[in-house]
Amino acid sequence: MNRRPFNFSAGPAALPEEVLQQVAQEMLDWHGSGMSVMEMSHRGKEFVSICEQAEADLRELLAVPPQFRILFMQGGGLAENAIVPLNLSRGGKVDVVVSGSWSRKSAQEAGRYADVRIAADAKSNGQRAIPAAAEWQLRGDASYVHLCSNETIDGLEFHELPDLKALGCDAPLVIDFSSHVLSRPVDWSRVGLAFGGAQKNIGPAGLTLVIIREDLLGHALPICPSAFDYKTVAEAQSMYNTPPTFSIYVAGLVFQWLKRFEYGGKTGLAAIEQRNIDKATLLYQALDHSALFENRVAPDCRSRMNVPFYLRGTHDTPELNQAFLDEARERQLLQLKGHKSVGGMRASIYNAMSLEGVHALVDFLKDFETRHG
Ligand SMILES: *Cc1c(COP(=O)(O)O)cnc(C)c1O
Protein backbone atom coordinates (compact mmCIF):
# COMPACT_ATOMS: atom_id res chain seq x y z
CA MET A 1 0.00 0.00 0.00
CA ASN A 2 1.18 3.54 -0.76
CA ARG A 3 1.90 5.79 2.19
CA ARG A 4 -1.21 7.61 3.45
CA PRO A 5 -1.13 11.43 3.21
CA PHE A 6 0.06 13.39 6.25
CA ASN A 7 -3.02 14.77 7.98
CA PHE A 8 -2.55 17.98 10.01
CA SER A 9 -6.21 18.30 11.07
CA ALA A 10 -6.90 20.08 14.36
CA GLY A 11 -9.71 17.64 15.11
CA PRO A 12 -11.17 15.20 14.57
CA ALA A 13 -7.56 14.34 13.92
CA ALA A 14 -5.35 11.61 12.51
CA LEU A 15 -5.11 8.31 14.40
CA PRO A 16 -2.12 5.93 14.43
CA GLU A 17 -2.27 3.79 11.29
CA GLU A 18 -1.57 0.66 13.36
CA VAL A 19 -4.71 1.33 15.39
CA LEU A 20 -6.86 1.88 12.30
CA GLN A 21 -5.61 -1.42 10.90
CA GLN A 22 -6.42 -3.26 14.10
CA VAL A 23 -9.92 -1.73 14.16
CA ALA A 24 -10.43 -2.90 10.57
CA GLN A 25 -9.28 -6.42 11.42
CA GLU A 26 -11.53 -6.66 14.46
CA MET A 27 -14.52 -4.93 12.87
CA LEU A 28 -16.70 -7.95 12.10
CA ASP A 29 -15.65 -10.25 14.92
CA TRP A 30 -14.03 -8.90 18.06
CA HIS A 31 -11.80 -11.60 19.63
CA GLY A 32 -14.01 -14.50 18.53
CA SER A 33 -17.14 -13.00 20.10
CA GLY A 34 -18.93 -13.06 16.74
CA MET A 35 -19.78 -9.38 17.19
CA SER A 36 -18.44 -5.98 16.29
CA VAL A 37 -17.73 -3.83 19.36
CA MET A 38 -20.53 -1.56 18.07
CA GLU A 39 -23.01 -4.41 18.45
CA MET A 40 -22.24 -5.47 22.03
CA SER A 41 -24.16 -4.74 25.19
CA HIS A 42 -22.26 -2.18 27.21
CA ARG A 43 -22.99 -4.35 30.26
CA GLY A 44 -21.78 -7.62 28.73
CA LYS A 45 -18.48 -9.16 29.87
CA GLU A 46 -16.76 -8.41 26.54
CA PHE A 47 -17.36 -4.68 26.60
CA VAL A 48 -16.86 -4.37 30.36
CA SER A 49 -13.38 -5.90 29.87
CA ILE A 50 -12.61 -3.43 27.05
CA CYS A 51 -13.70 -0.50 29.20
CA GLU A 52 -11.83 -1.61 32.34
CA GLN A 53 -8.64 -2.18 30.36
CA ALA A 54 -8.91 1.26 28.73
CA GLU A 55 -9.36 2.92 32.10
CA ALA A 56 -6.45 1.02 33.67
CA ASP A 57 -4.14 1.84 30.74
CA LEU A 58 -5.08 5.50 30.84
CA ARG A 59 -4.48 5.62 34.61
CA GLU A 60 -1.05 4.07 34.10
CA LEU A 61 -0.05 6.30 31.16
CA LEU A 62 -1.04 9.55 32.89
CA ALA A 63 -0.02 8.37 36.40
CA VAL A 64 -3.46 9.31 37.73
CA PRO A 65 -3.36 9.03 41.55
CA PRO A 66 -5.86 6.72 43.33
CA GLN A 67 -7.87 9.62 44.79
CA PHE A 68 -8.92 10.65 41.28
CA ARG A 69 -11.80 9.03 39.38
CA ILE A 70 -11.71 8.55 35.60
CA LEU A 71 -15.09 9.10 33.89
CA PHE A 72 -15.95 8.29 30.28
CA MET A 73 -18.69 10.74 29.30
CA GLN A 74 -20.28 12.36 26.24
CA GLY A 75 -20.94 15.93 25.15
CA GLY A 76 -17.42 17.07 24.28
CA GLY A 77 -15.44 20.02 25.59
CA LEU A 78 -18.26 22.45 24.96
CA ALA A 79 -20.76 20.50 27.05
CA GLU A 80 -18.16 20.33 29.85
CA ASN A 81 -18.14 24.14 29.84
CA ALA A 82 -21.64 23.83 31.35
CA ILE A 83 -21.25 20.50 33.16
CA VAL A 84 -18.26 21.70 35.19
CA PRO A 85 -20.02 24.76 36.68
CA LEU A 86 -23.18 22.67 37.22
CA ASN A 87 -21.07 20.27 39.32
CA LEU A 88 -18.45 22.48 40.95
CA SER A 89 -19.62 26.12 41.13
CA ARG A 90 -22.13 25.59 43.99
CA GLY A 91 -23.84 28.60 42.41
CA GLY A 92 -20.95 30.79 43.57
CA LYS A 93 -17.85 32.31 42.00
CA VAL A 94 -15.72 31.01 39.15
CA ASP A 95 -12.44 32.61 38.04
CA VAL A 96 -11.28 31.98 34.49
CA VAL A 97 -7.84 32.58 33.01
CA VAL A 98 -8.46 33.39 29.34
CA SER A 99 -5.54 32.40 27.13
CA GLY A 100 -7.47 32.01 23.87
CA SER A 101 -10.69 31.11 22.12
CA TRP A 102 -11.60 27.99 24.09
CA SER A 103 -11.15 29.45 27.56
CA ARG A 104 -13.10 32.52 26.42
CA LYS A 105 -15.97 30.21 25.48
CA SER A 106 -15.69 28.42 28.82
CA ALA A 107 -15.99 31.74 30.67
CA GLN A 108 -19.09 32.70 28.69
CA GLU A 109 -20.84 29.39 29.29
CA ALA A 110 -19.97 29.26 33.00
CA GLY A 111 -21.54 32.73 33.27
CA ARG A 112 -24.94 31.12 32.77
CA TYR A 113 -24.56 29.23 36.07
CA ALA A 114 -22.11 31.18 38.19
CA ASP A 115 -20.59 34.57 38.92
CA VAL A 116 -17.62 34.55 36.53
CA ARG A 117 -14.57 36.77 36.67
CA ILE A 118 -11.89 36.87 33.97
CA ALA A 119 -8.80 36.65 36.17
CA ALA A 120 -6.44 37.41 33.27
CA ASP A 121 -6.74 37.69 29.51
CA ALA A 122 -4.11 36.99 26.86
CA LYS A 123 -5.79 39.68 24.77
CA SER A 124 -3.79 42.13 26.88
CA ASN A 125 -0.66 40.57 25.30
CA GLY A 126 -2.08 40.69 21.78
CA GLN A 127 -2.89 36.98 22.14
CA ARG A 128 0.83 36.17 21.91
CA ALA A 129 1.55 35.16 25.51
CA ILE A 130 -0.19 33.83 28.62
CA PRO A 131 -0.33 36.51 31.34
CA ALA A 132 2.05 35.74 34.24
CA ALA A 133 0.35 33.92 37.12
CA ALA A 134 1.50 36.52 39.67
CA GLU A 135 -0.76 39.05 37.88
CA TRP A 136 -3.95 36.96 37.92
CA GLN A 137 -6.88 38.54 39.77
CA LEU A 138 -8.05 35.50 41.73
CA ARG A 139 -10.80 35.65 44.34
CA GLY A 140 -10.15 33.90 47.64
CA ASP A 141 -13.69 32.50 47.75
CA ALA A 142 -13.92 31.21 44.17
CA SER A 143 -15.40 27.69 43.83
CA TYR A 144 -12.80 26.84 41.21
CA VAL A 145 -10.36 28.37 38.73
CA HIS A 146 -10.58 27.36 35.07
CA LEU A 147 -7.91 27.43 32.37
CA CYS A 148 -7.33 25.79 29.00
CA SER A 149 -3.93 24.14 29.17
CA ASN A 150 -3.53 24.09 25.39
CA GLU A 151 -5.37 26.59 23.21
CA THR A 152 -5.99 24.71 19.98
CA ILE A 153 -6.86 27.73 17.81
CA ASP A 154 -4.35 30.26 19.12
CA GLY A 155 -1.48 27.84 19.69
CA LEU A 156 -0.71 28.79 23.32
CA GLU A 157 0.20 26.07 25.81
CA PHE A 158 0.88 26.04 29.54
CA HIS A 159 4.25 24.32 29.90
CA GLU A 160 3.76 24.34 33.66
CA LEU A 161 0.44 24.39 35.48
CA PRO A 162 0.07 27.15 38.08
CA ASP A 163 0.38 26.32 41.77
CA LEU A 164 -2.79 28.07 42.98
CA LYS A 165 -1.92 27.51 46.65
CA ALA A 166 1.34 29.42 46.18
CA LEU A 167 -0.76 32.24 44.69
CA GLY A 168 -2.86 32.33 47.88
CA CYS A 169 -5.85 30.58 46.31
CA ASP A 170 -7.31 27.41 47.82
CA ALA A 171 -9.79 26.74 45.00
CA PRO A 172 -9.35 23.63 42.85
CA LEU A 173 -7.91 24.10 39.37
CA VAL A 174 -9.98 22.88 36.41
CA ILE A 175 -8.14 22.34 33.14
CA ASP A 176 -9.47 21.79 29.62
CA PHE A 177 -6.74 19.54 28.20
CA SER A 178 -8.69 18.43 25.09
CA SER A 179 -5.96 19.15 22.60
CA HIS A 180 -2.82 17.99 24.41
CA VAL A 181 -3.98 15.19 26.69
CA LEU A 182 -1.47 12.31 26.61
CA SER A 183 1.14 14.42 24.81
CA ARG A 184 2.96 15.01 28.13
CA PRO A 185 2.52 14.20 31.83
CA VAL A 186 0.03 16.06 34.06
CA ASP A 187 1.03 17.41 37.50
CA TRP A 188 -1.97 16.07 39.43
CA SER A 189 -0.87 17.81 42.64
CA ARG A 190 -2.01 21.07 40.98
CA VAL A 191 -5.28 19.84 39.43
CA GLY A 192 -8.77 19.20 40.80
CA LEU A 193 -10.43 18.25 37.53
CA ALA A 194 -9.27 17.76 33.95
CA PHE A 195 -11.55 17.27 30.97
CA GLY A 196 -11.07 16.73 27.28
CA GLY A 197 -12.85 15.63 24.14
CA ALA A 198 -11.26 12.55 22.59
CA GLN A 199 -11.13 13.64 18.96
CA LYS A 200 -7.83 15.53 19.07
CA ASN A 201 -5.33 13.20 20.68
CA ILE A 202 -7.18 10.13 21.95
CA GLY A 203 -9.56 8.61 19.43
CA PRO A 204 -12.84 9.15 17.60
CA ALA A 205 -15.28 11.93 18.50
CA GLY A 206 -18.04 11.10 20.95
CA LEU A 207 -15.98 10.28 24.03
CA THR A 208 -15.24 12.92 26.66
CA LEU A 209 -12.71 12.23 29.36
CA VAL A 210 -13.18 13.62 32.87
CA ILE A 211 -10.60 13.01 35.59
CA ILE A 212 -11.82 14.34 38.92
CA ARG A 213 -10.51 14.38 42.48
CA GLU A 214 -12.90 12.40 44.68
CA ASP A 215 -13.65 15.21 47.15
CA LEU A 216 -15.15 17.27 44.30
CA LEU A 217 -17.90 14.70 43.65
CA GLY A 218 -21.37 15.21 45.10
CA HIS A 219 -21.83 18.99 44.87
CA ALA A 220 -23.96 19.24 41.70
CA LEU A 221 -26.67 21.89 41.50
CA PRO A 222 -30.25 20.50 41.53
CA ILE A 223 -30.73 21.51 37.86
CA CYS A 224 -27.75 19.39 36.74
CA PRO A 225 -28.96 16.54 34.49
CA SER A 226 -28.42 13.19 36.26
CA ALA A 227 -26.40 11.81 33.34
CA PHE A 228 -23.99 14.75 33.78
CA ASP A 229 -23.74 14.57 37.58
CA TYR A 230 -20.14 13.40 38.14
CA LYS A 231 -21.09 11.52 41.32
CA THR A 232 -23.83 9.58 39.54
CA VAL A 233 -21.49 8.77 36.65
CA ALA A 234 -18.66 7.75 39.01
CA GLU A 235 -20.90 5.49 41.12
CA ALA A 236 -22.10 3.75 37.95
CA GLN A 237 -18.53 3.17 36.64
CA SER A 238 -19.36 5.43 33.63
CA MET A 239 -22.33 3.16 32.81
CA TYR A 240 -25.21 5.26 34.20
CA ASN A 241 -26.36 5.51 30.60
CA THR A 242 -24.91 3.87 27.49
CA PRO A 243 -21.38 5.22 27.07
CA PRO A 244 -19.85 5.85 23.61
CA THR A 245 -18.74 2.23 23.35
CA PHE A 246 -16.96 2.26 19.99
CA SER A 247 -15.03 5.44 20.84
CA ILE A 248 -13.94 3.92 24.17
CA TYR A 249 -12.74 0.80 22.35
CA VAL A 250 -10.67 2.77 19.81
CA ALA A 251 -9.32 5.02 22.56
CA GLY A 252 -8.26 1.87 24.41
CA LEU A 253 -6.30 0.71 21.36
CA VAL A 254 -4.60 4.11 21.21
CA PHE A 255 -3.64 3.75 24.90
CA GLN A 256 -2.06 0.37 24.14
CA TRP A 257 -0.24 1.87 21.15
CA LEU A 258 1.11 4.59 23.45
CA LYS A 259 2.20 2.10 26.11
CA ARG A 260 4.38 0.23 23.61
CA PHE A 261 5.56 3.38 21.77
CA GLU A 262 9.34 3.71 21.66
CA TYR A 263 11.42 6.72 20.69
CA GLY A 264 14.81 8.12 21.63
CA GLY A 265 15.55 5.26 24.02
CA LYS A 266 12.31 5.88 25.94
CA THR A 267 8.98 4.06 26.12
CA GLY A 268 5.37 5.15 26.59
CA LEU A 269 4.39 8.69 27.52
CA ALA A 270 8.03 9.79 27.96
CA ALA A 271 8.74 8.59 24.41
CA ILE A 272 5.77 10.33 22.82
CA GLU A 273 6.59 13.52 24.73
CA GLN A 274 10.16 13.43 23.42
CA ARG A 275 8.95 12.96 19.85
CA ASN A 276 6.44 15.81 20.32
CA ILE A 277 9.25 18.09 21.51
CA ASP A 278 11.42 17.13 18.53
CA LYS A 279 8.57 17.67 16.04
CA ALA A 280 7.63 21.07 17.48
CA THR A 281 11.27 22.21 17.63
CA LEU A 282 11.80 21.28 13.99
CA LEU A 283 8.71 23.17 12.82
CA TYR A 284 9.18 26.32 14.94
CA GLN A 285 12.84 26.56 13.90
CA ALA A 286 11.83 26.39 10.24
CA LEU A 287 9.22 29.12 10.76
CA ASP A 288 11.61 31.36 12.74
CA HIS A 289 14.25 31.06 9.99
CA SER A 290 11.79 31.75 7.21
CA ALA A 291 11.50 35.11 5.44
CA LEU A 292 8.03 34.14 4.19
CA PHE A 293 6.28 32.45 7.15
CA GLU A 294 5.96 33.30 10.83
CA ASN A 295 4.49 32.01 14.07
CA ARG A 296 3.54 34.90 16.38
CA VAL A 297 3.43 33.25 19.81
CA ALA A 298 6.08 34.02 22.46
CA PRO A 299 8.55 31.09 22.47
CA ASP A 300 7.84 30.07 26.09
CA CYS A 301 4.07 29.82 25.40
CA ARG A 302 4.20 27.98 22.08
CA SER A 303 2.09 24.87 21.76
CA ARG A 304 3.77 21.57 20.92
CA MET A 305 0.51 20.40 19.36
CA ASN A 306 -1.04 23.25 17.37
CA VAL A 307 1.20 25.54 15.35
CA PRO A 308 -0.60 28.46 13.69
CA PHE A 309 1.47 30.25 11.05
CA TYR A 310 1.00 33.14 8.68
CA LEU A 311 2.56 34.65 5.60
CA ARG A 312 4.68 37.61 6.61
CA GLY A 313 3.76 41.27 5.91
CA THR A 314 2.84 42.07 2.32
CA HIS A 315 3.02 38.39 1.34
CA ASP A 316 -0.13 37.77 3.40
CA THR A 317 -2.72 37.85 0.60
CA PRO A 318 -5.77 35.59 0.19
CA GLU A 319 -4.33 34.36 -3.15
CA LEU A 320 -0.99 33.25 -1.72
CA ASN A 321 -2.66 31.60 1.29
CA GLN A 322 -4.87 29.65 -1.08
CA ALA A 323 -1.94 28.74 -3.34
CA PHE A 324 -0.13 27.36 -0.28
CA LEU A 325 -3.09 25.20 0.74
CA ASP A 326 -3.65 23.94 -2.83
CA GLU A 327 -0.01 23.00 -3.34
CA ALA A 328 0.12 21.40 0.12
CA ARG A 329 -2.82 19.16 -0.75
CA GLU A 330 -1.10 18.14 -4.01
CA ARG A 331 1.92 17.15 -1.91
CA GLN A 332 -0.30 14.98 0.31
CA LEU A 333 -0.18 17.44 3.21
CA LEU A 334 -3.81 17.72 4.31
CA GLN A 335 -5.98 20.08 6.41
CA LEU A 336 -3.48 22.90 6.95
CA LYS A 337 -6.02 25.72 6.78
CA GLY A 338 -6.08 27.95 9.88
CA HIS A 339 -9.22 28.26 12.00
CA LYS A 340 -11.73 30.58 10.35
CA SER A 341 -11.60 33.02 13.29
CA VAL A 342 -7.85 33.68 12.90
CA GLY A 343 -7.09 32.80 9.24
CA GLY A 344 -3.69 31.80 7.94
CA MET A 345 -2.48 28.23 8.37
CA ARG A 346 -2.26 25.78 11.24
CA ALA A 347 -0.35 22.52 11.52
CA SER A 348 -1.71 20.27 14.26
CA ILE A 349 1.01 17.79 15.10
CA TYR A 350 -0.64 15.54 17.67
CA ASN A 351 0.74 12.24 18.96
CA ALA A 352 -0.18 10.34 15.80
CA MET A 353 1.86 12.66 13.52
CA SER A 354 5.25 11.18 12.68
CA LEU A 355 8.55 13.04 12.58
CA GLU A 356 8.61 12.16 8.88
CA GLY A 357 5.33 14.10 8.44
CA VAL A 358 6.80 17.23 10.02
CA HIS A 359 9.94 16.87 7.85
CA ALA A 360 7.68 16.70 4.79
CA LEU A 361 5.91 19.90 5.89
CA VAL A 362 9.21 21.72 6.58
CA ASP A 363 10.57 20.67 3.16
CA PHE A 364 7.43 22.02 1.56
CA LEU A 365 7.66 25.34 3.48
CA LYS A 366 11.22 25.81 2.18
CA ASP A 367 10.31 24.83 -1.34
CA PHE A 368 7.29 27.15 -1.39
CA GLU A 369 9.47 30.01 -0.10
CA THR A 370 12.05 29.60 -2.90
CA ARG A 371 9.28 29.88 -5.46
CA HIS A 372 7.06 32.55 -3.84
CA GLY A 373 9.26 34.34 -1.26
C1 LIG B 1 -11.91 21.03 20.29
C2 LIG B 1 -11.89 21.67 21.62
C3 LIG B 1 -13.06 21.87 22.36
C4 LIG B 1 -14.44 21.56 21.82
O1 LIG B 1 -14.72 20.25 21.85
P1 LIG B 1 -16.13 19.67 21.34
O2 LIG B 1 -15.92 18.22 21.45
O3 LIG B 1 -16.33 20.15 19.92
O4 LIG B 1 -17.18 20.19 22.23
C5 LIG B 1 -12.95 22.42 23.62
N1 LIG B 1 -11.76 22.77 24.12
C6 LIG B 1 -10.61 22.61 23.43
C7 LIG B 1 -9.31 23.01 24.03
C8 LIG B 1 -10.65 22.05 22.16
O5 LIG B 1 -9.50 21.88 21.46
Side-chain angles (χ1 to χ4, degrees):
M1 193 174 105
N2 286 337
R3 173 172 75 61
R4 300 179 80 223
F6 294 116
N7 180 355
F8 295 90
S9 173
L15 288 167
E17 194 170 324
E18 260 174 78
V19 168
L20 293 176
Q21 276 164 354
Q22 190 175 348
V23 171
Q25 271 163 22
E26 297 178 343
M27 183 62 80
L28 298 186
D29 180 7
W30 183 82
H31 294 205
S33 65
M35 299 177 277
S36 156
V37 175
M38 276 181 273
E39 304 168 304
M40 291 173 180
S41 165
H42 59 295
R43 303 193 192 279
K45 67 174 187 334
E46 293 91 352
F47 185 73
V48 167
S49 76
I50 289 171
C51 196
E52 285 176 356
Q53 189 66 49
E55 186 181 328
D57 287 341
L58 178 62
R59 190 176 283 280
E60 183 183 328
L61 280 163
L62 274 184
V64 180
Q67 71 273 24
F68 282 76
R69 299 294 300 265
I70 294 177
L71 312 180
F72 293 142
M73 297 181 68
Q74 304 188 55
L78 286 188
E80 287 302 325
N81 284 343
I83 296 168
V84 171
L86 281 167
N87 277 274
L88 301 194
S89 74
R90 307 183 197 207
K93 298 175 183 172
V94 171
D95 291 346
V96 180
V97 177
V98 173
S99 56
S101 312
W102 289 114
S103 43
R104 194 173 308 283
K105 276 205 162 138
S106 302
Q108 266 165 17
E109 185 73 6
R112 302 179 61 188
Y113 307 99
D115 162 14
V116 170
R117 173 195 274 186
I118 308 290
D121 194 332
K123 214 157 60 178
S124 64
N125 299 329
Q127 203 52 58
R128 288 164 188 241
I130 299 168
E135 292 158 22
W136 298 354
Q137 306 277 309
L138 300 173
R139 293 175 292 189
D141 55 349
S143 299
Y144 67 91
V145 177
H146 174 106
L147 62 81
C148 176
S149 45
N150 183 63
E151 284 283 1
T152 322
I153 293 173
D154 310 272
L156 275 70
E157 182 170 10
F158 280 82
H159 291 289
E160 192 184 359
L161 292 174
D163 181 355
L164 293 186
K165 279 223 171 57
L167 296 170
C169 175
D170 281 328
L173 179 67
V174 170
I175 65 171
D176 172 357
F177 67 174
S178 296
S179 54
H180 73 164
V181 55
L182 286 169
S183 69
R184 60 190 304 155
V186 173
D187 182 351
W188 294 107
S189 73
R190 297 186 172 181
V191 173
L193 183 151
F195 71 81
Q199 71 271 26
K200 314 286 165 63
N201 219 2
I202 292 182
L207 167 65
T208 312
L209 200 68
V210 174
I211 305 182
I212 179 171
R213 215 174 57 209
E214 243 155 17
D215 62 285
L216 299 175
L217 297 169
H219 305 290
L221 298 176
I223 55 162
C224 180
S226 306
F228 291 151
D229 180 331
Y230 294 138
K231 182 162 187 267
T232 303
V233 178
E235 283 174 350
Q237 262 61 244
S238 299
M239 303 268 181
Y240 174 73
N241 65 334
T242 314
T245 53
F246 194 74
S247 296
I248 291 171
Y249 154 68
V250 180
L253 297 182
V254 172
F255 300 157
Q256 284 170 19
W257 173 78
L258 276 173
K259 279 176 65 176
R260 63 177 184 265
F261 187 81
E262 290 180 356
Y263 180 85
K266 300 173 181 172
T267 309
L269 198 71
I272 206 78
E273 181 182 33
Q274 187 59 56
R275 190 172 76 165
N276 288 333
I277 292 170
D278 291 353
K279 280 160 22 191
T281 304
L282 180 66
L283 182 50
Y284 284 115
Q285 272 179 3
L287 292 168
D288 288 348
H289 289 121
S290 167
L292 185 59
F293 301 100
E294 63 175 340
N295 168 273
R296 298 170 182 165
V297 177
D300 61 334
C301 299
R302 285 174 167 177
S303 169
R304 291 175 185 166
M305 298 278 101
N306 307 99
V307 184
F309 57 97
Y310 300 89
L311 292 161
R312 287 184 195 263
T314 54
H315 295 291
D316 192 4
T317 63
E319 294 74 26
L320 202 52
N321 276 277
Q322 195 54 49
F324 178 87
L325 294 169
D326 291 344
E327 286 188 31
R329 196 167 350 90
E330 279 164 29
R331 304 243 313 218
Q332 309 272 292
L333 306 171
L334 307 184
Q335 309 206 70
L336 281 163
K337 195 175 164 73
H339 190 269
K340 60 183 187 302
S341 63
V342 293
M345 273 70 74
R346 171 175 52 171
S348 293
I349 49 175
Y350 297 120
N351 285 351
M353 175 59 64
S354 61
L355 193 57
E356 188 195 357
V358 178
H359 274 295
L361 174 58
V362 166
D363 288 346
F364 174 56
L365 291 173
K366 289 180 181 157
D367 180 53
F368 191 85
E369 183 170 340
T370 58
R371 286 178 291 110
H372 298 280

